[in-house]
Amino acid sequence: MPSLSMYEATVPPFVKTLTNMKAVLEKAVAHAQAKKIEETVFLNARLYPDMFPLADQVRLTGGEPATYQDDEKTFAELLSRIDRAIGDLKALDPKKFEGTDTREITRPVRGEPHTFTGLNYILHFAAPNVYFHTTTAYDILRHNGVEIGKQDFLGKID
Amino acid sequence: MPSLSMYEATVPPFVKTLTNMKAVLEKAVAHAQAKKIEETVFLNARLYPDMFPLADQVRLTGGEPATYQDDEKTFAELLSRIDRAIGDLKALDPKKFEGTDTREITRPVRGEPHTFTGLNYILHFAAPNVYFHTTTAYDILRHNGVEIGKQDFLGKID
């Protein structure tokens, strides 16, 4: 028996993980200032040479389907982008999510258009993608010595 | 209007991410064999000295609420554990999930019991935790040169 809406399953969890990521990035800014580390060191940090650096991990968490320029060069710009993504999510009308579980949606996947049901899209693509990039942004900062723990990633437990 | 069940929102996505993690670990095993790297090097790898190593990241993805010994010492044992977790998930009866969205559940959080609604538990605690540890296991292996990409993490796109 269905008991949760497509809206509940996506918007509040994504707002929460973006809010938590913002707090993690703010800890990185404070750490960089305290240790006199240029913020570009963190923004360009990655876990392996051919991997997206921190700035791209942050961009990749919240760009769809609104369009963003992907040109943020500072933590301040990335934080503004997260605020914009959170604002965009909060502005969505829950009523517009009705019926989206079975509705088809075509989105680019690895350069090719792919048609999902709304249900598969949110549970098997959007959510894993969002958490993949928020966690990897966290892991890059953790690897670079910013003093964060899983409680920063999870945020306040409701 | 509710359109998805608590079962749909949890069991299939968790089975999928565990199945994908298994494939990622199998790539690590193949990489270790090809490069003649002891598998304990990967099992003990971490991104920062005070962080849980790979073996614990894997354990932390799928131990609740069944009990596990947390004593796996090889990739083979970790892969068996994932199989067991997937089997446990697949054995769950979808009917038993009815009404769990509003039902209260008390689970340990940071050493203290915390009471969640079922909805908050799955969307704001269980799912972020599962993805946090599957992604971090992936990131540890990525950092150690195993040739994996996000497509391995996401698996087959339905």
Side-chain angles (χ1 to χ4, degrees):
Chain A
M1 196 176 68
S3 57
L4 67 158
S5 66
M6 291 285 283
Y7 180 87
E8 278 177 309
T10 49
V11 176
F14 291 178
V15 166
K16 190 176 174 79
T17 195
L18 289 174
T19 303
N20 298 342
M21 186 169 67
K22 202 179 152 192
V24 164
L25 293 176
E26 285 167 345
K27 283 202 173 183
V29 171
H31 182 87
Q33 287 171 348
K35 304 285 183 182
K36 303 198 190 308
I37 298 165
E38 289 283 340
E39 65 176 54
T40 51
V41 173
F42 283 158
L43 293 168
N44 295 322
R46 54 188 99 209
L47 297 173
Y48 203 72
D50 66 353
M51 185 176 168
F52 281 124
L54 176 69
D56 284 307
Q57 300 294 343
V58 175
R59 288 176 193 133
L60 286 162
T61 56
E64 301 285 3
T67 52
Y68 292 85
Q69 291 292 330
D70 283 342
D71 60 356
E72 297 84 359
K73 286 177 186 61
T74 63
F75 272 106
E77 286 171 355
L78 285 174
L79 291 167
S80 295
R81 177 176 175 145
I82 297 171
D83 279 336
R84 187 178 149 200
I86 291 171
D88 288 347
L89 284 166
K90 286 186 174 171
L92 294 171
D93 180 357
K95 289 201 196 85
K96 295 228 170 121
F97 285 70
E98 290 191 12
T100 55
D101 54 321
T102 53
R103 194 182 303 162
E104 290 194 337
I105 175 173
T106 300
R107 304 283 315 142
V109 175
R110 298 163 203 166
E112 298 289 331
H114 184 86
T115 300
F116 299 87
T117 61
L119 185 78
N120 276 350
Y121 179 68
I122 67 158
L123 292 179
H124 299 289
F125 191 75
N129 260 292
V130 167
Y131 288 120
F132 179 85
H133 292 294
T134 50
T135 303
T136 300
Y138 167 98
D139 283 338
I140 290 172
L141 291 169
R142 185 81 166 82
H143 177 62
N144 279 274
V146 178
E147 291 179 8
I148 45 180
K150 192 170 72 173
Q151 66 275 18
D152 296 295
F153 179 83
L154 292 176
K156 184 176 170 292
I157 305 295
D158 298 313
Chain B
M1 194 177 70
S3 57
L4 67 159
S5 67
M6 290 286 281
Y7 181 86
E8 279 177 309
T10 48
V11 176
F14 291 178
V15 167
K16 190 176 175 76
T17 195
L18 290 174
T19 303
N20 298 341
M21 187 168 68
K22 201 180 152 194
V24 164
L25 294 177
E26 285 166 345
K27 283 200 172 186
V29 171
H31 183 86
Q33 287 171 348
K35 304 285 183 184
K36 302 198 190 309
I37 297 165
E38 288 283 339
E39 64 178 53
T40 51
V41 173
F42 283 158
L43 293 167
N44 295 322
R46 53 187 101 210
L47 296 173
Y48 203 72
D50 66 352
M51 186 176 169
F52 281 123
L54 176 69
D56 284 308
Q57 300 294 344
V58 175
R59 288 175 193 135
L60 286 162
T61 55
E64 301 285 4
T67 52
Y68 292 85
Q69 292 293 331
D70 283 343
D71 60 357
E72 297 84 359
K73 286 178 186 62
T74 63
F75 272 105
E77 287 172 354
L78 285 175
L79 290 167
S80 295
R81 178 176 174 144
I82 297 171
D83 279 336
R84 186 178 151 199
I86 291 171
D88 288 347
L89 284 166
K90 287 186 173 172
L92 294 171
D93 180 357
K95 291 201 196 85
K96 296 230 170 118
F97 284 70
E98 290 190 10
T100 54
D101 55 319
T102 53
R103 195 181 304 162
E104 291 194 337
I105 175 173
T106 300
R107 305 284 313 143
V109 175
R110 297 163 204 167
E112 297 289 329
H114 184 87
T115 300
F116 299 86
T117 62
L119 185 78
N120 277 349
Y121 178 69
I122 66 158
L123 293 179
H124 299 289
F125 191 75
N129 260 292
V130 167
Y131 288 119
F132 179 85
H133 293 294
T134 50
T135 304
T136 299
Y138 168 98
D139 283 339
I140 290 173
L141 291 170
R142 185 81 167 81
H143 177 61
N144 279 274
V146 178
E147 291 179 8
I148 45 179
K150 193 171 71 173
Q151 67 274 20
D152 296 295
F153 179 82
L154 292 177
K156 183 175 170 293
I157 305 295
D158 299 312

